[in-house]
Amino acid sequence: MRWATVILAAVVIFGSTSLAAAECSWVLWVKTTVLLSGDKNKPKPTWDIGRTFKNQPQCDRERLKHWKVVAETAEADVGPSNVTKKQGEYVTRFFPTGGHISEVLHCLPDTIDPREERE
């Protein structure tokens, strides 16, 4: 009987968490890391909020649109051969003099703040 209570409690707890995540807003976050030529220290990323959305599919659509703009801007800046990218996820531009700028796009529930990550 004790196991049945534990299992029931787990279902209630995790079920309500999933339901809450489905009902929350979604945030488009852009994580930017800059490494300049000659930097000896590990770069610290900055997190910027792009926009908020009512649901994940809306956020994902906007993430793809924003990614295209970031990719086109990077290629215009340093040339296509100096850019690595993965559609909808990240763009990294490498400078001929060394260093790079990396931008990673994330859609996260508004209950998650990636700036609170522990490294």
Side-chain angles (χ1 to χ4, degrees), residues 6-22:
V6 170
I7 292 171
L8 180 59
V11 169
V12 169
I13 291 169
F14 293 116
S16 63
T17 303
S18 299
L19 184 58

Side-chain angles (χ1 to χ4, degrees), residues 31-46 77-78 82 91-103:
K31 176 183 176 183
T32 304
T33 306
V34 178
L35 178 66
L36 300 176
S37 178
D39 274 356
K40 302 290 186 221
N41 299 324
K42 182 180 176 184
K44 293 199 178 222
T46 59
D77 186 26
V78 296
N82 293 318
V91 175
T92 301
R93 67 183 86 182
F94 295 91
F95 298 107
T97 57
H100 67 272
I101 296 176
S102 178
E103 295 175 80

